[in-house]
Amino acid sequence: MEKLNEEDISKLKNAIKLQKNDSDEEALSILWDLYKRNSENGKVIGLLGLILAKTGQRAKAIPYLEKAITISPRNELVSMSLYISYAEIEKHDITFNVIFEYLKLYPADLYLITLEELLEGLLEGYGTTYKDKIIFYAIKNEVPIPVELQ
């Protein structure tokens, strides 16, 4: 991963602070500038993707989130944001692939609630194409399986 110089580290910290205070447009302005000089830095790319997704620019966020997840595959927040972004633009096969690729390698933390929601969806007839995988990853991550799905 590309290293940031001290000035860029300071700018990244400022962008994070702005984002936490919901000054997303200001944070994005800083991040676009940082990205021009640090297009291979996972933190810059990831935060850029996360804020784009947060501001409802899901389709625009996807390439940055995809790149960030290849640099930092364990970053569950980036993976979840990518999952939600694909769901929002109704790319359901890719959506499920994102969660399954993550859960194949790493345990769920943020995804625990998602697994619970997917199990509820199965009970309502949603996501049935992926029923076996949803149940497999729910069991693997110790999420209780509803009796109706056992």
Side-chain angles (χ1 to χ4, degrees), residues 108-140:
D109 182 20
L110 299 174
Y111 274 131
L112 288 173
I113 293 169
T114 305
L115 286 168
E116 290 172 0
E117 291 170 346
L118 290 172
L119 290 169
E120 289 172 17
L122 287 174
L123 292 172
E124 298 169 8
Y126 300 107
T128 55
T129 304
Y130 303 99
K131 179 181 178 181
D132 292 342
K133 282 189 173 185
I134 293 168
I135 291 173
F136 172 81
Y137 287 115
I139 291 169
K140 181 179 175 183

PDB file of all heavy atoms in Angstrom, residues 108-140:
ATOM      1  N   ALA A 108     -17.803 -12.942  10.715  1.00  0.00           N
ATOM      2  CA  ALA A 108     -18.713 -11.799  10.662  1.00  0.00           C
ATOM      3  C   ALA A 108     -18.675 -11.035  11.975  1.00  0.00           C
ATOM      4  O   ALA A 108     -18.602 -11.617  13.048  1.00  0.00           O
ATOM      5  CB  ALA A 108     -20.137 -12.276  10.391  1.00  0.00           C
ATOM      6  N   ASP A 109     -18.720  -9.747  11.867  1.00  0.00           N
ATOM      7  CA  ASP A 109     -18.948  -8.874  13.011  1.00  0.00           C
ATOM      8  C   ASP A 109     -20.093  -7.947  12.596  1.00  0.00           C
ATOM      9  O   ASP A 109     -21.222  -8.140  13.010  1.00  0.00           O
ATOM     10  CB  ASP A 109     -17.681  -8.105  13.377  1.00  0.00           C
ATOM     11  CG  ASP A 109     -17.868  -7.215  14.598  1.00  0.00           C
ATOM     12  OD1 ASP A 109     -18.804  -7.453  15.385  1.00  0.00           O
ATOM     13  OD2 ASP A 109     -17.095  -6.259  14.767  1.00  0.00           O
ATOM     14  N   LEU A 110     -19.780  -7.002  11.721  1.00  0.00           N
ATOM     15  CA  LEU A 110     -20.834  -6.136  11.189  1.00  0.00           C
ATOM     16  C   LEU A 110     -21.861  -6.937  10.388  1.00  0.00           C
ATOM     17  O   LEU A 110     -23.043  -6.609  10.377  1.00  0.00           O
ATOM     18  CB  LEU A 110     -20.228  -5.052  10.293  1.00  0.00           C
ATOM     19  CG  LEU A 110     -19.234  -4.094  10.940  1.00  0.00           C
ATOM     20  CD1 LEU A 110     -18.621  -3.181   9.890  1.00  0.00           C
ATOM     21  CD2 LEU A 110     -19.911  -3.277  12.024  1.00  0.00           C
ATOM     22  N   TYR A 111     -21.411  -7.984   9.744  1.00  0.00           N
ATOM     23  CA  TYR A 111     -22.295  -8.801   8.918  1.00  0.00           C
ATOM     24  C   TYR A 111     -23.238  -9.706   9.733  1.00  0.00           C
ATOM     25  O   TYR A 111     -24.101 -10.354   9.155  1.00  0.00           O
ATOM     26  CB  TYR A 111     -21.481  -9.671   7.953  1.00  0.00           C
ATOM     27  CG  TYR A 111     -21.115  -9.005   6.644  1.00  0.00           C
ATOM     28  CD1 TYR A 111     -19.809  -9.043   6.177  1.00  0.00           C
ATOM     29  CD2 TYR A 111     -22.062  -8.380   5.850  1.00  0.00           C
ATOM     30  CE1 TYR A 111     -19.456  -8.464   4.961  1.00  0.00           C
ATOM     31  CE2 TYR A 111     -21.727  -7.792   4.640  1.00  0.00           C
ATOM     32  CZ  TYR A 111     -20.421  -7.837   4.207  1.00  0.00           C
ATOM     33  OH  TYR A 111     -20.091  -7.268   3.003  1.00  0.00           O
ATOM     34  N   LEU A 112     -23.070  -9.769  11.044  1.00  0.00           N
ATOM     35  CA  LEU A 112     -23.956 -10.614  11.849  1.00  0.00           C
ATOM     36  C   LEU A 112     -25.416 -10.190  11.681  1.00  0.00           C
ATOM     37  O   LEU A 112     -26.296 -11.033  11.478  1.00  0.00           O
ATOM     38  CB  LEU A 112     -23.554 -10.585  13.326  1.00  0.00           C
ATOM     39  CG  LEU A 112     -22.268 -11.313  13.682  1.00  0.00           C
ATOM     40  CD1 LEU A 112     -21.893 -11.068  15.134  1.00  0.00           C
ATOM     41  CD2 LEU A 112     -22.390 -12.805  13.399  1.00  0.00           C
ATOM     42  N   ILE A 113     -25.662  -8.901  11.752  1.00  0.00           N
ATOM     43  CA  ILE A 113     -27.032  -8.394  11.596  1.00  0.00           C
ATOM     44  C   ILE A 113     -27.529  -8.668  10.184  1.00  0.00           C
ATOM     45  O   ILE A 113     -28.696  -9.030   9.987  1.00  0.00           O
ATOM     46  CB  ILE A 113     -27.098  -6.894  11.945  1.00  0.00           C
ATOM     47  CG1 ILE A 113     -26.820  -6.706  13.439  1.00  0.00           C
ATOM     48  CG2 ILE A 113     -28.452  -6.290  11.565  1.00  0.00           C
ATOM     49  CD1 ILE A 113     -26.594  -5.280  13.866  1.00  0.00           C
ATOM     50  N   THR A 114     -26.653  -8.524   9.216  1.00  0.00           N
ATOM     51  CA  THR A 114     -27.024  -8.799   7.830  1.00  0.00           C
ATOM     52  C   THR A 114     -27.436 -10.257   7.672  1.00  0.00           C
ATOM     53  O   THR A 114     -28.434 -10.559   7.001  1.00  0.00           O
ATOM     54  CB  THR A 114     -25.854  -8.467   6.888  1.00  0.00           C
ATOM     55  OG1 THR A 114     -25.450  -7.107   7.118  1.00  0.00           O
ATOM     56  CG2 THR A 114     -26.246  -8.648   5.434  1.00  0.00           C
ATOM     57  N   LEU A 115     -26.688 -11.163   8.278  1.00  0.00           N
ATOM     58  CA  LEU A 115     -27.048 -12.580   8.210  1.00  0.00           C
ATOM     59  C   LEU A 115     -28.423 -12.827   8.843  1.00  0.00           C
ATOM     60  O   LEU A 115     -29.237 -13.579   8.303  1.00  0.00           O
ATOM     61  CB  LEU A 115     -25.976 -13.444   8.877  1.00  0.00           C
ATOM     62  CG  LEU A 115     -24.683 -13.603   8.085  1.00  0.00           C
ATOM     63  CD1 LEU A 115     -23.586 -14.219   8.957  1.00  0.00           C
ATOM     64  CD2 LEU A 115     -24.910 -14.447   6.840  1.00  0.00           C
ATOM     65  N   GLU A 116     -28.688 -12.174   9.972  1.00  0.00           N
ATOM     66  CA  GLU A 116     -30.011 -12.298  10.602  1.00  0.00           C
ATOM     67  C   GLU A 116     -31.102 -11.797   9.653  1.00  0.00           C
ATOM     68  O   GLU A 116     -32.155 -12.427   9.511  1.00  0.00           O
ATOM     69  CB  GLU A 116     -30.057 -11.506  11.911  1.00  0.00           C
ATOM     70  CG  GLU A 116     -29.211 -12.107  13.012  1.00  0.00           C
ATOM     71  CD  GLU A 116     -29.114 -11.208  14.237  1.00  0.00           C
ATOM     72  OE1 GLU A 116     -29.707 -10.099  14.256  1.00  0.00           O
ATOM     73  OE2 GLU A 116     -28.425 -11.613  15.199  1.00  0.00           O
ATOM     74  N   GLU A 117     -30.840 -10.671   9.007  1.00  0.00           N
ATOM     75  CA  GLU A 117     -31.812 -10.107   8.065  1.00  0.00           C
ATOM     76  C   GLU A 117     -32.011 -11.024   6.860  1.00  0.00           C
ATOM     77  O   GLU A 117     -33.132 -11.178   6.373  1.00  0.00           O
ATOM     78  CB  GLU A 117     -31.357  -8.716   7.602  1.00  0.00           C
ATOM     79  CG  GLU A 117     -31.416  -7.674   8.690  1.00  0.00           C
ATOM     80  CD  GLU A 117     -30.748  -6.366   8.316  1.00  0.00           C
ATOM     81  OE1 GLU A 117     -30.003  -6.321   7.304  1.00  0.00           O
ATOM     82  OE2 GLU A 117     -30.952  -5.384   9.046  1.00  0.00           O
ATOM     83  N   LEU A 118     -30.935 -11.630   6.380  1.00  0.00           N
ATOM     84  CA  LEU A 118     -31.053 -12.551   5.250  1.00  0.00           C
ATOM     85  C   LEU A 118     -31.862 -13.787   5.631  1.00  0.00           C
ATOM     86  O   LEU A 118     -32.655 -14.289   4.822  1.00  0.00           O
ATOM     87  CB  LEU A 118     -29.669 -12.948   4.731  1.00  0.00           C
ATOM     88  CG  LEU A 118     -28.895 -11.846   4.011  1.00  0.00           C
ATOM     89  CD1 LEU A 118     -27.467 -12.295   3.716  1.00  0.00           C
ATOM     90  CD2 LEU A 118     -29.597 -11.408   2.737  1.00  0.00           C
ATOM     91  N   LEU A 119     -31.691 -14.278   6.850  1.00  0.00           N
ATOM     92  CA  LEU A 119     -32.490 -15.412   7.318  1.00  0.00           C
ATOM     93  C   LEU A 119     -33.972 -15.034   7.384  1.00  0.00           C
ATOM     94  O   LEU A 119     -34.847 -15.808   6.970  1.00  0.00           O
ATOM     95  CB  LEU A 119     -31.995 -15.898   8.687  1.00  0.00           C
ATOM     96  CG  LEU A 119     -30.633 -16.585   8.687  1.00  0.00           C
ATOM     97  CD1 LEU A 119     -30.125 -16.766  10.115  1.00  0.00           C
ATOM     98  CD2 LEU A 119     -30.683 -17.920   7.961  1.00  0.00           C
ATOM     99  N   GLU A 120     -34.253 -13.834   7.889  1.00  0.00           N
ATOM    100  CA  GLU A 120     -35.647 -13.359   7.920  1.00  0.00           C
ATOM    101  C   GLU A 120     -36.194 -13.251   6.498  1.00  0.00           C
ATOM    102  O   GLU A 120     -37.347 -13.585   6.237  1.00  0.00           O
ATOM    103  CB  GLU A 120     -35.728 -11.998   8.618  1.00  0.00           C
ATOM    104  CG  GLU A 120     -35.496 -12.053  10.108  1.00  0.00           C
ATOM    105  CD  GLU A 120     -35.380 -10.672  10.740  1.00  0.00           C
ATOM    106  OE1 GLU A 120     -35.790  -9.660  10.103  1.00  0.00           O
ATOM    107  OE2 GLU A 120     -34.866 -10.587  11.874  1.00  0.00           O
ATOM    108  N   GLY A 121     -35.365 -12.768   5.580  1.00  0.00           N
ATOM    109  CA  GLY A 121     -35.765 -12.661   4.181  1.00  0.00           C
ATOM    110  C   GLY A 121     -36.108 -14.019   3.588  1.00  0.00           C
ATOM    111  O   GLY A 121     -37.077 -14.145   2.824  1.00  0.00           O
ATOM    112  N   LEU A 122     -35.329 -15.034   3.934  1.00  0.00           N
ATOM    113  CA  LEU A 122     -35.634 -16.385   3.452  1.00  0.00           C
ATOM    114  C   LEU A 122     -37.024 -16.816   3.897  1.00  0.00           C
ATOM    115  O   LEU A 122     -37.766 -17.428   3.129  1.00  0.00           O
ATOM    116  CB  LEU A 122     -34.586 -17.387   3.954  1.00  0.00           C
ATOM    117  CG  LEU A 122     -33.208 -17.327   3.312  1.00  0.00           C
ATOM    118  CD1 LEU A 122     -32.246 -18.277   4.027  1.00  0.00           C
ATOM    119  CD2 LEU A 122     -33.275 -17.642   1.825  1.00  0.00           C
ATOM    120  N   LEU A 123     -37.384 -16.492   5.137  1.00  0.00           N
ATOM    121  CA  LEU A 123     -38.717 -16.845   5.652  1.00  0.00           C
ATOM    122  C   LEU A 123     -39.824 -16.149   4.871  1.00  0.00           C
ATOM    123  O   LEU A 123     -40.938 -16.658   4.779  1.00  0.00           O
ATOM    124  CB  LEU A 123     -38.827 -16.485   7.136  1.00  0.00           C
ATOM    125  CG  LEU A 123     -37.959 -17.307   8.095  1.00  0.00           C
ATOM    126  CD1 LEU A 123     -38.016 -16.723   9.496  1.00  0.00           C
ATOM    127  CD2 LEU A 123     -38.383 -18.767   8.085  1.00  0.00           C
ATOM    128  N   GLU A 124     -39.492 -14.996   4.295  1.00  0.00           N
ATOM    129  CA  GLU A 124     -40.468 -14.229   3.511  1.00  0.00           C
ATOM    130  C   GLU A 124     -40.361 -14.503   2.020  1.00  0.00           C
ATOM    131  O   GLU A 124     -41.028 -13.863   1.205  1.00  0.00           O
ATOM    132  CB  GLU A 124     -40.281 -12.731   3.792  1.00  0.00           C
ATOM    133  CG  GLU A 124     -40.534 -12.371   5.256  1.00  0.00           C
ATOM    134  CD  GLU A 124     -40.109 -10.959   5.604  1.00  0.00           C
ATOM    135  OE1 GLU A 124     -39.747 -10.178   4.684  1.00  0.00           O
ATOM    136  OE2 GLU A 124     -40.119 -10.625   6.796  1.00  0.00           O
ATOM    137  N   GLY A 125     -39.482 -15.428   1.640  1.00  0.00           N
ATOM    138  CA  GLY A 125     -39.359 -15.816   0.241  1.00  0.00           C
ATOM    139  C   GLY A 125     -38.320 -15.053  -0.549  1.00  0.00           C
ATOM    140  O   GLY A 125     -38.260 -15.163  -1.774  1.00  0.00           O
ATOM    141  N   TYR A 126     -37.469 -14.283   0.124  1.00  0.00           N
ATOM    142  CA  TYR A 126     -36.426 -13.516  -0.566  1.00  0.00           C
ATOM    143  C   TYR A 126     -35.087 -14.223  -0.458  1.00  0.00           C
ATOM    144  O   TYR A 126     -34.772 -14.832   0.557  1.00  0.00           O
ATOM    145  CB  TYR A 126     -36.293 -12.111   0.035  1.00  0.00           C
ATOM    146  CG  TYR A 126     -37.550 -11.295  -0.055  1.00  0.00           C
ATOM    147  CD1 TYR A 126     -38.323 -11.051   1.076  1.00  0.00           C
ATOM    148  CD2 TYR A 126     -37.978 -10.793  -1.275  1.00  0.00           C
ATOM    149  CE1 TYR A 126     -39.490 -10.308   1.000  1.00  0.00           C
ATOM    150  CE2 TYR A 126     -39.149 -10.050  -1.373  1.00  0.00           C
ATOM    151  CZ  TYR A 126     -39.899  -9.811  -0.226  1.00  0.00           C
ATOM    152  OH  TYR A 126     -41.050  -9.092  -0.316  1.00  0.00           O
ATOM    153  N   GLY A 127     -34.294 -14.139  -1.498  1.00  0.00           N
ATOM    154  CA  GLY A 127     -32.944 -14.683  -1.471  1.00  0.00           C
ATOM    155  C   GLY A 127     -32.870 -16.191  -1.489  1.00  0.00           C
ATOM    156  O   GLY A 127     -31.830 -16.766  -1.157  1.00  0.00           O
ATOM    157  N   THR A 128     -33.926 -16.839  -1.884  1.00  0.00           N
ATOM    158  CA  THR A 128     -33.985 -18.304  -1.812  1.00  0.00           C
ATOM    159  C   THR A 128     -32.945 -18.987  -2.702  1.00  0.00           C
ATOM    160  O   THR A 128     -32.537 -20.109  -2.404  1.00  0.00           O
ATOM    161  CB  THR A 128     -35.395 -18.818  -2.161  1.00  0.00           C
ATOM    162  OG1 THR A 128     -35.772 -18.317  -3.446  1.00  0.00           O
ATOM    163  CG2 THR A 128     -36.403 -18.363  -1.116  1.00  0.00           C
ATOM    164  N   THR A 129     -32.517 -18.328  -3.749  1.00  0.00           N
ATOM    165  CA  THR A 129     -31.463 -18.879  -4.601  1.00  0.00           C
ATOM    166  C   THR A 129     -30.193 -19.125  -3.788  1.00  0.00           C
ATOM    167  O   THR A 129     -29.419 -20.033  -4.094  1.00  0.00           O
ATOM    168  CB  THR A 129     -31.147 -17.909  -5.763  1.00  0.00           C
ATOM    169  OG1 THR A 129     -32.346 -17.644  -6.468  1.00  0.00           O
ATOM    170  CG2 THR A 129     -30.102 -18.458  -6.699  1.00  0.00           C
ATOM    171  N   TYR A 130     -29.994 -18.332  -2.748  1.00  0.00           N
ATOM    172  CA  TYR A 130     -28.780 -18.389  -1.941  1.00  0.00           C
ATOM    173  C   TYR A 130     -29.021 -19.006  -0.566  1.00  0.00           C
ATOM    174  O   TYR A 130     -28.190 -18.871   0.327  1.00  0.00           O
ATOM    175  CB  TYR A 130     -28.212 -16.976  -1.784  1.00  0.00           C
ATOM    176  CG  TYR A 130     -27.940 -16.332  -3.106  1.00  0.00           C
ATOM    177  CD1 TYR A 130     -28.845 -15.433  -3.663  1.00  0.00           C
ATOM    178  CD2 TYR A 130     -26.804 -16.659  -3.827  1.00  0.00           C
ATOM    179  CE1 TYR A 130     -28.607 -14.865  -4.903  1.00  0.00           C
ATOM    180  CE2 TYR A 130     -26.558 -16.087  -5.064  1.00  0.00           C
ATOM    181  CZ  TYR A 130     -27.464 -15.198  -5.590  1.00  0.00           C
ATOM    182  OH  TYR A 130     -27.213 -14.642  -6.818  1.00  0.00           O
ATOM    183  N   LYS A 131     -30.149 -19.687  -0.418  1.00  0.00           N
ATOM    184  CA  LYS A 131     -30.549 -20.228   0.886  1.00  0.00           C
ATOM    185  C   LYS A 131     -29.436 -21.052   1.534  1.00  0.00           C
ATOM    186  O   LYS A 131     -29.104 -20.841   2.708  1.00  0.00           O
ATOM    187  CB  LYS A 131     -31.807 -21.083   0.740  1.00  0.00           C
ATOM    188  CG  LYS A 131     -32.265 -21.708   2.041  1.00  0.00           C
ATOM    189  CD  LYS A 131     -33.512 -22.563   1.839  1.00  0.00           C
ATOM    190  CE  LYS A 131     -33.922 -23.219   3.146  1.00  0.00           C
ATOM    191  NZ  LYS A 131     -35.096 -24.074   2.980  1.00  0.00           N
ATOM    192  N   ASP A 132     -28.867 -22.002   0.812  1.00  0.00           N
ATOM    193  CA  ASP A 132     -27.855 -22.878   1.400  1.00  0.00           C
ATOM    194  C   ASP A 132     -26.638 -22.097   1.897  1.00  0.00           C
ATOM    195  O   ASP A 132     -26.128 -22.357   2.983  1.00  0.00           O
ATOM    196  CB  ASP A 132     -27.415 -23.957   0.406  1.00  0.00           C
ATOM    197  CG  ASP A 132     -28.524 -24.959   0.111  1.00  0.00           C
ATOM    198  OD1 ASP A 132     -29.494 -25.034   0.894  1.00  0.00           O
ATOM    199  OD2 ASP A 132     -28.425 -25.656  -0.918  1.00  0.00           O
ATOM    200  N   LYS A 133     -26.187 -21.152   1.099  1.00  0.00           N
ATOM    201  CA  LYS A 133     -25.020 -20.361   1.513  1.00  0.00           C
ATOM    202  C   LYS A 133     -25.358 -19.454   2.695  1.00  0.00           C
ATOM    203  O   LYS A 133     -24.533 -19.293   3.602  1.00  0.00           O
ATOM    204  CB  LYS A 133     -24.485 -19.528   0.345  1.00  0.00           C
ATOM    205  CG  LYS A 133     -23.664 -20.325  -0.635  1.00  0.00           C
ATOM    206  CD  LYS A 133     -22.992 -19.411  -1.641  1.00  0.00           C
ATOM    207  CE  LYS A 133     -22.033 -20.203  -2.503  1.00  0.00           C
ATOM    208  NZ  LYS A 133     -21.279 -19.337  -3.410  1.00  0.00           N
ATOM    209  N   ILE A 134     -26.534 -18.846   2.685  1.00  0.00           N
ATOM    210  CA  ILE A 134     -26.933 -17.985   3.800  1.00  0.00           C
ATOM    211  C   ILE A 134     -26.950 -18.800   5.094  1.00  0.00           C
ATOM    212  O   ILE A 134     -26.388 -18.378   6.114  1.00  0.00           O
ATOM    213  CB  ILE A 134     -28.315 -17.336   3.540  1.00  0.00           C
ATOM    214  CG1 ILE A 134     -28.217 -16.346   2.373  1.00  0.00           C
ATOM    215  CG2 ILE A 134     -28.834 -16.651   4.809  1.00  0.00           C
ATOM    216  CD1 ILE A 134     -29.558 -15.868   1.842  1.00  0.00           C
ATOM    217  N   ILE A 135     -27.560 -19.969   5.044  1.00  0.00           N
ATOM    218  CA  ILE A 135     -27.628 -20.813   6.232  1.00  0.00           C
ATOM    219  C   ILE A 135     -26.231 -21.295   6.635  1.00  0.00           C
ATOM    220  O   ILE A 135     -25.879 -21.274   7.824  1.00  0.00           O
ATOM    221  CB  ILE A 135     -28.601 -21.992   6.008  1.00  0.00           C
ATOM    222  CG1 ILE A 135     -30.038 -21.444   5.925  1.00  0.00           C
ATOM    223  CG2 ILE A 135     -28.471 -23.030   7.118  1.00  0.00           C
ATOM    224  CD1 ILE A 135     -31.082 -22.468   5.537  1.00  0.00           C
ATOM    225  N   PHE A 136     -25.415 -21.686   5.663  1.00  0.00           N
ATOM    226  CA  PHE A 136     -24.054 -22.123   5.957  1.00  0.00           C
ATOM    227  C   PHE A 136     -23.274 -21.042   6.703  1.00  0.00           C
ATOM    228  O   PHE A 136     -22.655 -21.307   7.746  1.00  0.00           O
ATOM    229  CB  PHE A 136     -23.322 -22.502   4.660  1.00  0.00           C
ATOM    230  CG  PHE A 136     -21.863 -22.781   4.864  1.00  0.00           C
ATOM    231  CD1 PHE A 136     -21.438 -24.005   5.344  1.00  0.00           C
ATOM    232  CD2 PHE A 136     -20.908 -21.801   4.579  1.00  0.00           C
ATOM    233  CE1 PHE A 136     -20.078 -24.263   5.550  1.00  0.00           C
ATOM    234  CE2 PHE A 136     -19.547 -22.048   4.781  1.00  0.00           C
ATOM    235  CZ  PHE A 136     -19.141 -23.280   5.267  1.00  0.00           C
ATOM    236  N   TYR A 137     -23.295 -19.807   6.181  1.00  0.00           N
ATOM    237  CA  TYR A 137     -22.519 -18.735   6.817  1.00  0.00           C
ATOM    238  C   TYR A 137     -23.152 -18.284   8.125  1.00  0.00           C
ATOM    239  O   TYR A 137     -22.436 -17.840   9.040  1.00  0.00           O
ATOM    240  CB  TYR A 137     -22.294 -17.571   5.850  1.00  0.00           C
ATOM    241  CG  TYR A 137     -21.289 -17.933   4.786  1.00  0.00           C
ATOM    242  CD1 TYR A 137     -21.645 -18.025   3.450  1.00  0.00           C
ATOM    243  CD2 TYR A 137     -19.972 -18.226   5.128  1.00  0.00           C
ATOM    244  CE1 TYR A 137     -20.719 -18.387   2.475  1.00  0.00           C
ATOM    245  CE2 TYR A 137     -19.041 -18.585   4.166  1.00  0.00           C
ATOM    246  CZ  TYR A 137     -19.416 -18.662   2.853  1.00  0.00           C
ATOM    247  OH  TYR A 137     -18.488 -19.028   1.905  1.00  0.00           O
ATOM    248  N   ALA A 138     -24.452 -18.402   8.257  1.00  0.00           N
ATOM    249  CA  ALA A 138     -25.102 -18.091   9.536  1.00  0.00           C
ATOM    250  C   ALA A 138     -24.634 -19.089  10.596  1.00  0.00           C
ATOM    251  O   ALA A 138     -24.248 -18.691  11.707  1.00  0.00           O
ATOM    252  CB  ALA A 138     -26.613 -18.119   9.377  1.00  0.00           C
ATOM    253  N   ILE A 139     -24.642 -20.372  10.257  1.00  0.00           N
ATOM    254  CA  ILE A 139     -24.185 -21.397  11.205  1.00  0.00           C
ATOM    255  C   ILE A 139     -22.712 -21.185  11.538  1.00  0.00           C
ATOM    256  O   ILE A 139     -22.318 -21.222  12.711  1.00  0.00           O
ATOM    257  CB  ILE A 139     -24.426 -22.819  10.629  1.00  0.00           C
ATOM    258  CG1 ILE A 139     -25.926 -23.113  10.569  1.00  0.00           C
ATOM    259  CG2 ILE A 139     -23.690 -23.873  11.454  1.00  0.00           C
ATOM    260  CD1 ILE A 139     -26.290 -24.365   9.772  1.00  0.00           C
ATOM    261  N   LYS A 140     -21.898 -20.949  10.511  1.00  0.00           N
ATOM    262  CA  LYS A 140     -20.459 -20.734  10.709  1.00  0.00           C
ATOM    263  C   LYS A 140     -20.199 -19.568  11.670  1.00  0.00           C
ATOM    264  O   LYS A 140     -19.233 -19.587  12.431  1.00  0.00           O
ATOM    265  CB  LYS A 140     -19.798 -20.459   9.350  1.00  0.00           C
ATOM    266  CG  LYS A 140     -18.302 -20.253   9.412  1.00  0.00           C
ATOM    267  CD  LYS A 140     -17.713 -20.017   8.029  1.00  0.00           C
ATOM    268  CE  LYS A 140     -16.239 -19.697   8.108  1.00  0.00           C
ATOM    269  NZ  LYS A 140     -15.669 -19.407   6.793  1.00  0.00           N
TER     270      LYS A 140
END
